Amino acid sequence: MNHDNYDDDYIRGILNGVKSIAMVGASPVNVRPSYFAFKYLAQRGYDMIPVNPGHVGKNLLGRPFVASLGDVGRPVDMIDIFRNSSHIMPVVEEALQLDPLPKVIWMQLGARDDAAAAKAEAAGLKVVMNRCPKIEYGRLSSEISWMGVNSRTLSSKRAPMPTQGMRLSLDRTSVGGGETAASDRAAKNKNDLA
Amino acid sequence: MTDRLPGFSTLAVHAGAQPDPTTGARATPIYQTTSFVFNDADHAASLFGLQAFGNIYTRIGNPTQAVLEERVAALEGGTAALAVASGHAAQVVVLQQLMMPGDEFIAARKLYGGSINQFSHAFKSFGWNVVWADPDDAGSFERAVTPRTKAIFIESIANPAGSITDIEAIAAVARKAGVPLIVDNTLATPYLIRPIDHGADIVVHSLTKFLGGHGNSLGGVIVDAGTFDWSKDSKYPMLCEPRPEYHGIRIQETFGNFAFAIACRVLGLRDLGPAISPFNAFMILTGIETLPLRMAKHCENAKAVAEYLAGHPAVAAVNYSGLASNPYNNLARKYAPKGAGAVFTFSLKGGYEAGVNLVSNLKLFSHLANVGDTRSLVIHPASTTHSQLDDAAKIKSGAAPDVVRLSIGIEDKEDLIADLEQALGA
């Protein structure tokens, strides 16, 4: 795996495949990048688990913090590591003790540990380094294009609705009954003639 | 499957655009609206806190503008872009992210006259000090570097004489100095030169010129190459310090390799206010779809006109780097192999008077202060775009009193040559 430059298909496969994500180093402080990413991924339907020993007993957007990966207590598909490069290896080693093993190790923007990556890949895991899953999701869905970012994707298909059912809501304000004035007049004329 | 990189013409038509989710409209709609409703209070807070991608207010971003931004970013090979009201606005917004009062930036002496003016006078009142260097001598940039230097600014093809800058040589100076290289790529467009491929960290354009291409809409754009490491020291507080405007977030840490474009949007455009109108964004976007076709024709016509003028007895000299005899021809072959652009100058043996006569006798060329139109344009820089300079500075910037500047359009080249023929003979 070339960790300097990932094919979109590799990233797309990971983001389409994983359902549960344990975020190591998740912060409850709402100006931290980990908070943004946690919230964004939770809103996109991922089963998010905040891992941070400093915040056990608290919740992050309704999900309870756990102290370590071993405390998650259920299988997770992906470990998203929000730690500096020097703190990656112990997290990967802990992840490799899990049973079943996670499928993906993801190191955040700015974080890279090639030795830890090699260890995870040797155990059959996929690894992404120095990327943000929020940015990659936003890019591949082209949602990030709202910010002028080069998504490096093209599509001639109609984009999905930004909000489900946006134009199907029945809760709109009605203007003077169900018909237009003209159609009312036409109906009245028809009745008068009859 | 390995990702296939689409070609330039495909990107010029498709990048950033997708059929409208609501209507299926295939052309990009003009979202002529000031503001956008929020889904709920939490969505509003997320957008204002930069936690979610989305639209708030057209002074910060607009969906039509966003398509234009992504398209230019794709054509330049950048990570992101920000469109603004004009090329001048792009320069203010870029430097506002880099400069604090008392800082310096080094700029090439040969620039569009409006940029020389903006840098010398308007920016001086902000405490941003320009230091001039010679674009033909990378060493002059290196010698100008001080601890207060925050950026280097050059044009890829320099206005007005169409000379070619050795981008790689000056990029090496910028790298050594630890400052970003800003390249104004207006006259080349990414079709002819992609400065990011040669070491530029930031590219700016007047979209008003060849990118829009039809002389009908003002616009500017900033492209983030994603190459500069803003985190390595505290030299650029807009990028690497916690921002009080956004509850203490650090732009660089949060947005990675497109942090500069985000800073330009959320710290520059938001607070200075030079937003592009959605209608202008649409017009320019439509222009860009034919950029490769137009630029090929512009260059073909420019070369034919330059060759004609070079052989005319009334002409003293032609400054077109596409001519083999031009001192910039080697740089043109290296940086702009598809063509040397369509803006160049020439001087007449009859001097100033002959220049004035020529301009007034032309029937097809329009006498006006713009370049990069479908129509062929002519101007006398010394009395217009560069008139604020003294005679010595005019000569140094390539706008000597006897010089006439042409911007060659996409008409039939025979008709352009016939117009020059009758005007030179009149």
Side-chain angles (χ1 to χ4, degrees):
Chain A
M1 176 53 55
N2 173 8
H3 288 292
D4 294 318
N5 189 4
Y6 301 105
D7 273 357
D8 282 356
D9 276 348
Y10 180 70
I11 303 289
R12 193 180 280 121
I14 289 171
L15 292 175
N16 275 334
V18 304
K19 304 236 175 335
S20 54
I21 303 175
M23 185 182 283
V24 177
S27 170
V29 180
N30 69 2
V31 299
R32 299 300 303 154
S34 64
Y35 177 90
F36 295 4
F38 190 95
K39 183 176 176 183
Y40 181 90
L41 295 170
Q43 286 172 340
R44 299 293 170 293
Y46 291 103
D47 173 14
M48 298 300 294
I49 302 142
V51 183
N52 192 328
H55 296 288
V56 174
K58 292 186 223 162
N59 286 310
L60 184 47
L61 302 173
R63 288 122 178 123
F65 275 99
V66 297
S68 69
L69 288 174
D71 293 341
V72 173
R74 57 194 166 91
V76 282
D77 296 329
M78 175 165 129
I79 315 294
D80 182 13
I81 309 175
F82 257 95
R83 302 296 311 275
N84 292 336
S85 302
S86 58
H87 295 101
I88 299 289
M89 185 60 99
V91 179
V92 169
E93 284 171 345
E94 194 185 358
L96 294 177
Q97 299 300 314
L98 297 174
D99 182 23
L101 283 173
K103 299 183 182 79
V104 180
I105 299 285
W106 189 302
M107 305 175 205
Q108 263 314 124
L109 208 53
R112 176 163 182 157
D113 181 336
D114 287 274
K119 207 166 213 178
E121 285 174 334
L125 279 64
K126 287 184 176 171
V127 176
V128 176
M129 297 193 284
N130 191 25
R131 289 282 191 284
C132 172
K134 175 190 173 189
I135 290 172
E136 295 303 308
Y137 192 105
R139 185 175 70 75
L140 293 171
S141 68
S142 89
E143 188 186 8
I144 204 170
S145 300
W146 296 129
M147 307 292 282
V149 172
N150 184 1
S151 68
R152 308 194 302 286
T153 61
L154 301 178
S155 176
S156 62
K157 298 285 185 282
R158 185 188 283 208
M161 290 291 203
T163 308
Q164 280 191 348
M166 188 170 83
R167 289 295 290 273
L168 300 176
S169 168
L170 304 181
D171 300 331
R172 292 162 62 83
T173 303
S174 294
V175 183
E179 300 291 342
T180 64
S183 66
D184 273 349
R185 273 198 306 279
K188 185 167 180 293
N189 286 341
K190 199 175 166 192
N191 290 337
D192 287 349
L193 291 172
Chain B
M1 194 185 92
T2 304
D3 297 327
R4 202 179 166 282
L5 193 66
F8 189 90
S9 297
T10 302
L11 292 175
V13 172
H14 286 282
Q18 189 171 1
D20 183 66
T22 307
T23 61
R26 179 62 271 219
T28 297
I30 304 168
Y31 289 92
Q32 190 71 32
T33 181
T34 56
S35 15
F36 303 84
V37 293
F38 306 117
N39 299 343
D40 50 43
D42 183 57
H43 180 227
S46 297
L47 287 173
F48 273 100
L50 302 181
Q51 296 173 12
F53 313 119
N55 297 297
I56 300 174
Y57 192 64
T58 290
R59 200 187 66 249
I60 304 168
N62 172 283
T64 311
Q65 171 190 343
V67 175
L68 171 63
E69 289 163 346
E70 186 173 0
R71 186 159 305 171
V72 178
L75 293 176
E76 286 285 7
T79 53
L82 173 70
V84 292
S86 68
H88 258 35
Q91 291 171 180
V92 179
V93 169
V94 162
L95 286 167
Q96 188 222 1
Q97 309 320 309
L98 305 176
M99 307 282 289
M100 300 302 276
D103 284 344
E104 296 169 2
F105 69 107
I106 307 169
R109 191 173 279 119
K110 282 185 203 163
L111 293 182
Y112 161 52
S115 295
I116 294 177
N117 223 17
Q118 185 190 42
F119 293 179
S120 304
H121 305 297
F123 287 179
K124 201 171 176 184
S125 68
F126 302 164
W128 303 347
N129 300 314
V130 63
V131 178
W132 300 106
D134 178 1
D136 299 332
D137 173 16
S140 70
F141 285 81
E142 190 155 13
R143 290 189 293 278
V145 172
T146 75
R148 300 228 66 159
T149 303
K150 292 296 175 73
I152 293 179
F153 187 101
I154 58 173
E155 290 179 356
S156 53
I157 297 183
N159 198 331
S163 51
I164 310 280
T165 306
D166 190 348
I167 302 170
E168 288 173 12
I170 297 172
V173 173
R175 249 194 324 278
K176 196 172 156 197
V179 302
L181 175 66
I182 307 162
V183 178
D184 181 341
N185 199 32
T186 298
L187 294 190
T189 82
Y191 177 76
L192 297 179
I193 299 178
R194 300 212 317 169
I196 292 171
D197 294 345
H198 302 289
D201 300 298
I202 298 161
V203 174
V204 293
H205 281 276
S206 167
L207 293 168
T208 314
K209 311 302 184 320
F210 292 101
L211 278 166
H214 295 71
N216 56 26
S217 304
L218 286 185
V221 74
I222 300 156
V223 182
D224 185 351
T227 46
F228 195 82
D229 182 2
W230 308 101
S231 69
K232 66 174 181 273
D233 49 37
S234 53
K235 211 160 159 181
Y236 300 100
M238 298 290 262
L239 277 299
C240 64
E241 298 285 314
R243 293 314 307 175
E245 300 93 327
Y246 293 98
H247 311 294
I249 76 164
R250 291 181 172 88
I251 304 284
Q252 179 277 325
E253 167 190 73
T254 307
F255 295 102
N257 69 2
F258 55 91
F260 186 76
I262 296 290
C264 287
R265 184 186 304 278
V266 306
L267 300 175
L269 181 58
R270 188 196 71 160
D271 292 346
L272 298 176
I276 189 170
S277 88
F279 183 74
N280 281 14
F282 170 82
M283 294 300 283
I284 293 164
L285 194 56
T286 303
I288 290 175
E289 294 183 4
T290 56
L291 177 70
L293 301 172
R294 286 186 290 105
M295 286 313 287
K297 180 77 169 165
H298 277 295
C299 290
E300 178 197 327
N301 284 359
K303 189 153 194 284
V305 170
E307 282 165 353
Y308 161 76
L309 287 172
H312 196 286
V315 172
V318 177
N319 299 307
Y320 183 60
S321 65
L323 297 179
S325 58
N326 187 274
Y328 296 97
N329 190 246
N330 281 338
L331 287 172
R333 285 171 193 276
K334 173 178 176 177
Y335 286 103
K338 281 188 274 191
V343 175
F344 64 91
T345 58
F346 67 100
S347 52
L348 289 162
K349 287 176 182 161
Y352 182 89
E353 282 301 311
V356 169
N357 279 340
L358 173 78
V359 168
S360 50
N361 288 329
L362 284 164
K363 293 182 169 135
L364 208 50
F365 282 78
S366 303
H367 181 206
L368 53 75
N370 190 30
V371 294
D373 196 325
T374 50
R375 287 154 278 267
S376 290
L377 314 175
V378 61
I379 201 164
H380 180 230
S383 60
T384 54
T385 56
H386 290 64
S387 61
Q388 72 284 358
L389 306 179
D390 60 36
D391 278 358
K394 277 176 186 159
I395 292 165
K396 272 187 177 169
S397 69
D402 61 340
V403 161
V404 172
R405 183 185 74 189
L406 299 179
S407 172
I408 302 298
I410 58 172
E411 302 97 332
D412 288 302
K413 56 181 178 266
E414 295 79 6
D415 295 328
L416 300 177
I417 289 169
D419 193 30
L420 287 162
E421 176 84 26
Q422 65 80 21
L424 286 168

